[in-house]
Amino acid sequence: MSQYRTFTAADAVDYARQFGGVENPESLVESQEIGDGNLNLVFKIFDRDGISRVIVKQALPYVRCVGESWPLTLDRARIEAEVLQIHGEYCPQHTVKILHYDPQLAVMVMEDLSSHAIWRGEQVNGVDYPQAAGQLGEYLAQTLFHTSDFYQHPHQKKADVIRFTNPELCDITEELFFNEPYEVHERNGYPRALEPLVASLRDDDELRQKVAGLKHRFLSHAEALLHGDVHSGSIFVAEGSLKVIDAEFGYYGPIGFDVGSALGNMLINYCALPGLLAPREAADAREKRLRDVSTTWQSFAEGFLALAAEKTQDRALARPGYAAEFLQKIWRDSLGFCGTEVIRRTVGMSQVADIKNIRDEAMKNECVRQAITLGRTLILAADRIEDADALIARVRQNG
Amino acid sequence: MSQYRTFTAADAVDYARQFGGVENPESLVESQEIGDGNLNLVFKIFDRDGISRVIVKQALPYVRCVGESWPLTLDRARIEAEVLQIHGEYCPQHTVKILHYDPQLAVMVMEDLSSHAIWRGEQVNGVDYPQAAGQLGEYLAQTLFHTSDFYQHPHQKKADVIRFTNPELCDITEELFFNEPYEVHERNGYPRALEPLVASLRDDDELRQKVAGLKHRFLSHAEALLHGDVHSGSIFVAEGSLKVIDAEFGYYGPIGFDVGSALGNMLINYCALPGLLAPREAADAREKRLRDVSTTWQSFAEGFLALAAEKTQDRALARPGYAAEFLQKIWRDSLGFCGTEVIRRTVGMSQVADIKNIRDEAMKNECVRQAITLGRTLILAADRIEDADALIARVRQNG
């Protein structure tokens, strides 16, 4: 049994030689730490030709937030590795491959994705991947269906609920998604100019009652093994390819949380584009983003229904019509969680490059304002937005 | 550490002397096994004066169903004891007191309730306990509120979800409540004369889709630590007193399941009364049963809302109005689960004395027919029955 120690660059190379599954392990000679250093160390391991071959990722025993340290269990490395292994079993084409992990060292070795780029960065730069949204929908359908009550034996599902109980990472979501953006809180990161708008969220009883309902569902609806943080920053894309990474927030939760997180980040990008690109390019990229929103949902919904029709194991849940009825619950949840994702990434602490990269301050404020009002609309109107077309109409109406 | 062995009458006396908390342990001299012997041994322990002083209950490693043996974990004794301890912490006045339990022996010692009678038997005989329904509502409010996300810290709640994961007993409910009554199944226990009616349940797509939704919520909505089997046979009553026993089906599930199970058994009694009592007494007892239904819900709802207003710990769930909104979800769930309870106890395997004690066969069939149609109505119309008054109107309309 190994003992936890923080890896050096040399440790990472040694480890990759042992567990990287590379044919000539001795060809691995160098590493570079590419993580942001707040939550994890992430080492790229290079061979003699300077080509990166595998990734070594180690969890740190704390997360550095704005000005304070938040201690975090190393068990999240186990959860991340095991979620990705299970998701990889059901959707290998869109889940990063885990080659090895060690629970004591809180370290995992995984495939190198240097040929890919982080989707968020590409969206910020106006680079389009027309296939990505459909592939993301497929990932969501495969992973969420196969870990749900439709497919899992009740005993296996109950055992997995235990195995993926993730109190500390859920804690972060419970605070950052559902509490802080609606309170006066030092960690919030919205522009000061928007104080009146943000104050109006705090004073909106109906909104906060809806957010309470979403938080309650996040706390109690154990529908499937979620990724828990599917945003465009945890998705790698390349021409024809999409790979999801970073599943340390994984746990058994409401399916709409994953779907809504994915859609929410597309809508933040939609709101930010006028601040990121020239007007004509921005308008064009916005249309593509709306296409992505629609395609992600359609791909997920069709995939989920097809899997339900073909592979449902539970005798009661297999009734014709039930999966489609449940999909309506997922859709309503998705819209609400999508709204909370948009708000937590604009009002709250977890600011994103889509917004941060806008240089003109007035423009940035206007984009954020638009995102916040959209997020609020989605939370309030979740039960009245019938389908993806209606969602897109609402987005356009918002500005 | 003790090892499991099946208790003899003498073992039970010895054990009660050790752990019964009786002042003169040597005064305990005799025991009588009073269980049905299918799931558990239940010993009454008597003193020299022939007065029963404590109960010793031991779980057997199997449950004997119609003609077959269903192996069952002894861990259910731990779950039963620990659920009753937690419920007893929040509602000592209406939870049987656990004096001691031993997980290895799967045995517990608890207070003697000889001064009480099983409520079902009293209802069958037309004996009224006007205070009981209000007390049951109070038990439900106290136990379900205090173990919910409103009150529990998320870390504690997640730990308790693990601690009360109850796969084998949930399995029984999943089969007997939600599958078998809607299928051709050898364990079903309805009168043969009602075959056409029961067949019409199997053929009712809308009904079975609703039952699928209820089963899915039973499988995935971890809202509170349920008793899991609150029916009139697991409730003791006396003048001014009510005590709930038998919590081996406890787990974290939808609050409406406990509330619905409780209401469902009152409604079965309502349907059975014309077969149990003379016409005038039956009519009178039926009114009292409807009063019980209404009082149980009102007492639960008022209790839950008052506790939510006073004691909610979660910052988001504490929003004014949210508890009342969530209570609407509980009400809809309760009606649906109430319907499945009525059907599983008339169509399914778990037949009850209210029906079994009806001597006239034609009358029995008519009572069962009424119960089945009522159960079906409640499942189908759960979203459209606004409140307890509307429920009672539906019950009267049913016949």
Side-chain angles (χ1 to χ4, degrees), chain A residues 221-237:
Chain A
H221 288 194
E223 292 170 353
L225 179 58
L226 307 189
H227 177 284
D229 195 26
V230 197
H231 59 85
S232 49
S234 51
I235 298 170
F236 272 107
V237 287

PDB file of all heavy atoms in Angstrom, chain A residues 221-237:
ATOM      1  N   HIS A 221     -32.758  13.424  -5.353  1.00  0.00           N
ATOM      2  CA  HIS A 221     -33.187  12.584  -6.488  1.00  0.00           C
ATOM      3  C   HIS A 221     -32.015  11.794  -7.065  1.00  0.00           C
ATOM      4  O   HIS A 221     -31.280  12.270  -7.935  1.00  0.00           O
ATOM      5  CB  HIS A 221     -33.833  13.439  -7.579  1.00  0.00           C
ATOM      6  CG  HIS A 221     -35.194  13.953  -7.207  1.00  0.00           C
ATOM      7  ND1 HIS A 221     -36.078  14.494  -8.100  1.00  0.00           N
ATOM      8  CD2 HIS A 221     -35.838  13.986  -6.010  1.00  0.00           C
ATOM      9  CE1 HIS A 221     -37.189  14.847  -7.484  1.00  0.00           C
ATOM     10  NE2 HIS A 221     -37.066  14.557  -6.208  1.00  0.00           N
ATOM     11  N   ALA A 222     -31.848  10.571  -6.600  1.00  0.00           N
ATOM     12  CA  ALA A 222     -30.720   9.731  -7.025  1.00  0.00           C
ATOM     13  C   ALA A 222     -31.095   8.952  -8.288  1.00  0.00           C
ATOM     14  O   ALA A 222     -31.387   7.770  -8.249  1.00  0.00           O
ATOM     15  CB  ALA A 222     -30.326   8.790  -5.896  1.00  0.00           C
ATOM     16  N   GLU A 223     -31.089   9.649  -9.414  1.00  0.00           N
ATOM     17  CA  GLU A 223     -31.598   9.045 -10.654  1.00  0.00           C
ATOM     18  C   GLU A 223     -30.541   8.329 -11.476  1.00  0.00           C
ATOM     19  O   GLU A 223     -30.846   7.370 -12.189  1.00  0.00           O
ATOM     20  CB  GLU A 223     -32.255  10.128 -11.520  1.00  0.00           C
ATOM     21  CG  GLU A 223     -33.530  10.678 -10.902  1.00  0.00           C
ATOM     22  CD  GLU A 223     -34.080  11.904 -11.608  1.00  0.00           C
ATOM     23  OE1 GLU A 223     -33.409  12.445 -12.524  1.00  0.00           O
ATOM     24  OE2 GLU A 223     -35.174  12.339 -11.238  1.00  0.00           O
ATOM     25  N   ALA A 224     -29.317   8.818 -11.460  1.00  0.00           N
ATOM     26  CA  ALA A 224     -28.267   8.209 -12.293  1.00  0.00           C
ATOM     27  C   ALA A 224     -26.908   8.685 -11.779  1.00  0.00           C
ATOM     28  O   ALA A 224     -26.815   9.657 -11.026  1.00  0.00           O
ATOM     29  CB  ALA A 224     -28.447   8.598 -13.758  1.00  0.00           C
ATOM     30  N   LEU A 225     -25.856   7.985 -12.190  1.00  0.00           N
ATOM     31  CA  LEU A 225     -24.496   8.384 -11.820  1.00  0.00           C
ATOM     32  C   LEU A 225     -24.075   9.556 -12.699  1.00  0.00           C
ATOM     33  O   LEU A 225     -23.685   9.387 -13.856  1.00  0.00           O
ATOM     34  CB  LEU A 225     -23.519   7.215 -11.989  1.00  0.00           C
ATOM     35  CG  LEU A 225     -22.056   7.532 -11.662  1.00  0.00           C
ATOM     36  CD1 LEU A 225     -21.899   8.044 -10.232  1.00  0.00           C
ATOM     37  CD2 LEU A 225     -21.179   6.308 -11.889  1.00  0.00           C
ATOM     38  N   LEU A 226     -24.173  10.747 -12.148  1.00  0.00           N
ATOM     39  CA  LEU A 226     -23.850  11.967 -12.888  1.00  0.00           C
ATOM     40  C   LEU A 226     -22.342  12.147 -13.038  1.00  0.00           C
ATOM     41  O   LEU A 226     -21.564  11.703 -12.193  1.00  0.00           O
ATOM     42  CB  LEU A 226     -24.393  13.194 -12.148  1.00  0.00           C
ATOM     43  CG  LEU A 226     -25.863  13.235 -11.762  1.00  0.00           C
ATOM     44  CD1 LEU A 226     -26.200  14.630 -11.244  1.00  0.00           C
ATOM     45  CD2 LEU A 226     -26.766  12.850 -12.914  1.00  0.00           C
ATOM     46  N   HIS A 227     -21.955  12.842 -14.083  1.00  0.00           N
ATOM     47  CA  HIS A 227     -20.617  13.414 -14.170  1.00  0.00           C
ATOM     48  C   HIS A 227     -20.473  14.488 -13.087  1.00  0.00           C
ATOM     49  O   HIS A 227     -19.471  14.580 -12.406  1.00  0.00           O
ATOM     50  CB  HIS A 227     -20.410  13.999 -15.573  1.00  0.00           C
ATOM     51  CG  HIS A 227     -19.101  14.688 -15.768  1.00  0.00           C
ATOM     52  ND1 HIS A 227     -18.842  15.943 -15.260  1.00  0.00           N
ATOM     53  CD2 HIS A 227     -17.972  14.295 -16.403  1.00  0.00           C
ATOM     54  CE1 HIS A 227     -17.605  16.293 -15.582  1.00  0.00           C
ATOM     55  NE2 HIS A 227     -17.060  15.301 -16.277  1.00  0.00           N
ATOM     56  N   GLY A 228     -21.490  15.310 -12.943  1.00  0.00           N
ATOM     57  CA  GLY A 228     -21.536  16.281 -11.855  1.00  0.00           C
ATOM     58  C   GLY A 228     -20.962  17.648 -12.186  1.00  0.00           C
ATOM     59  O   GLY A 228     -21.129  18.596 -11.416  1.00  0.00           O
ATOM     60  N   ASP A 229     -20.295  17.765 -13.320  1.00  0.00           N
ATOM     61  CA  ASP A 229     -19.690  19.061 -13.683  1.00  0.00           C
ATOM     62  C   ASP A 229     -19.395  19.096 -15.186  1.00  0.00           C
ATOM     63  O   ASP A 229     -18.316  19.489 -15.606  1.00  0.00           O
ATOM     64  CB  ASP A 229     -18.406  19.254 -12.868  1.00  0.00           C
ATOM     65  CG  ASP A 229     -17.885  20.697 -12.894  1.00  0.00           C
ATOM     66  OD1 ASP A 229     -18.700  21.624 -13.086  1.00  0.00           O
ATOM     67  OD2 ASP A 229     -16.664  20.879 -12.737  1.00  0.00           O
ATOM     68  N   VAL A 230     -20.399  18.693 -15.981  1.00  0.00           N
ATOM     69  CA  VAL A 230     -20.192  18.653 -17.449  1.00  0.00           C
ATOM     70  C   VAL A 230     -20.338  20.044 -18.015  1.00  0.00           C
ATOM     71  O   VAL A 230     -21.439  20.471 -18.372  1.00  0.00           O
ATOM     72  CB  VAL A 230     -21.264  17.824 -18.189  1.00  0.00           C
ATOM     73  CG1 VAL A 230     -20.758  17.477 -19.593  1.00  0.00           C
ATOM     74  CG2 VAL A 230     -21.635  16.584 -17.451  1.00  0.00           C
ATOM     75  N   HIS A 231     -19.262  20.769 -18.111  1.00  0.00           N
ATOM     76  CA  HIS A 231     -19.319  22.080 -18.763  1.00  0.00           C
ATOM     77  C   HIS A 231     -18.295  22.079 -19.894  1.00  0.00           C
ATOM     78  O   HIS A 231     -17.511  21.117 -20.031  1.00  0.00           O
ATOM     79  CB  HIS A 231     -19.071  23.196 -17.748  1.00  0.00           C
ATOM     80  CG  HIS A 231     -17.753  23.111 -17.059  1.00  0.00           C
ATOM     81  ND1 HIS A 231     -16.600  23.644 -17.613  1.00  0.00           N
ATOM     82  CD2 HIS A 231     -17.382  22.549 -15.886  1.00  0.00           C
ATOM     83  CE1 HIS A 231     -15.587  23.427 -16.791  1.00  0.00           C
ATOM     84  NE2 HIS A 231     -16.023  22.754 -15.735  1.00  0.00           N
ATOM     85  N   SER A 232     -18.295  23.116 -20.701  1.00  0.00           N
ATOM     86  CA  SER A 232     -17.440  23.111 -21.896  1.00  0.00           C
ATOM     87  C   SER A 232     -15.956  23.100 -21.532  1.00  0.00           C
ATOM     88  O   SER A 232     -15.121  22.780 -22.366  1.00  0.00           O
ATOM     89  CB  SER A 232     -17.776  24.310 -22.795  1.00  0.00           C
ATOM     90  OG  SER A 232     -17.817  25.505 -22.033  1.00  0.00           O
ATOM     91  N   GLY A 233     -15.635  23.397 -20.275  1.00  0.00           N
ATOM     92  CA  GLY A 233     -14.248  23.323 -19.831  1.00  0.00           C
ATOM     93  C   GLY A 233     -13.818  21.920 -19.413  1.00  0.00           C
ATOM     94  O   GLY A 233     -12.628  21.676 -19.191  1.00  0.00           O
ATOM     95  N   SER A 234     -14.745  20.996 -19.297  1.00  0.00           N
ATOM     96  CA  SER A 234     -14.354  19.617 -18.987  1.00  0.00           C
ATOM     97  C   SER A 234     -14.653  18.699 -20.177  1.00  0.00           C
ATOM     98  O   SER A 234     -14.864  17.507 -20.024  1.00  0.00           O
ATOM     99  CB  SER A 234     -15.035  19.115 -17.704  1.00  0.00           C
ATOM    100  OG  SER A 234     -16.416  19.321 -17.747  1.00  0.00           O
ATOM    101  N   ILE A 235     -14.664  19.308 -21.352  1.00  0.00           N
ATOM    102  CA  ILE A 235     -14.900  18.548 -22.588  1.00  0.00           C
ATOM    103  C   ILE A 235     -13.803  18.897 -23.602  1.00  0.00           C
ATOM    104  O   ILE A 235     -13.572  20.075 -23.880  1.00  0.00           O
ATOM    105  CB  ILE A 235     -16.287  18.899 -23.183  1.00  0.00           C
ATOM    106  CG1 ILE A 235     -17.410  18.515 -22.203  1.00  0.00           C
ATOM    107  CG2 ILE A 235     -16.482  18.205 -24.530  1.00  0.00           C
ATOM    108  CD1 ILE A 235     -18.780  19.047 -22.595  1.00  0.00           C
ATOM    109  N   PHE A 236     -13.133  17.870 -24.083  1.00  0.00           N
ATOM    110  CA  PHE A 236     -12.147  18.040 -25.151  1.00  0.00           C
ATOM    111  C   PHE A 236     -12.806  17.758 -26.495  1.00  0.00           C
ATOM    112  O   PHE A 236     -13.591  16.816 -26.623  1.00  0.00           O
ATOM    113  CB  PHE A 236     -10.989  17.046 -24.985  1.00  0.00           C
ATOM    114  CG  PHE A 236      -9.867  17.545 -24.116  1.00  0.00           C
ATOM    115  CD1 PHE A 236      -9.681  17.042 -22.827  1.00  0.00           C
ATOM    116  CD2 PHE A 236      -8.969  18.490 -24.606  1.00  0.00           C
ATOM    117  CE1 PHE A 236      -8.634  17.485 -22.040  1.00  0.00           C
ATOM    118  CE2 PHE A 236      -7.915  18.932 -23.815  1.00  0.00           C
ATOM    119  CZ  PHE A 236      -7.740  18.439 -22.533  1.00  0.00           C
ATOM    120  N   VAL A 237     -12.474  18.562 -27.506  1.00  0.00           N
ATOM    121  CA  VAL A 237     -13.000  18.316 -28.856  1.00  0.00           C
ATOM    122  C   VAL A 237     -11.871  18.320 -29.881  1.00  0.00           C
ATOM    123  O   VAL A 237     -10.818  18.941 -29.687  1.00  0.00           O
ATOM    124  CB  VAL A 237     -14.045  19.394 -29.282  1.00  0.00           C
ATOM    125  CG1 VAL A 237     -15.351  19.197 -28.548  1.00  0.00           C
ATOM    126  CG2 VAL A 237     -13.495  20.801 -29.066  1.00  0.00           C
TER     127      VAL A 237
END
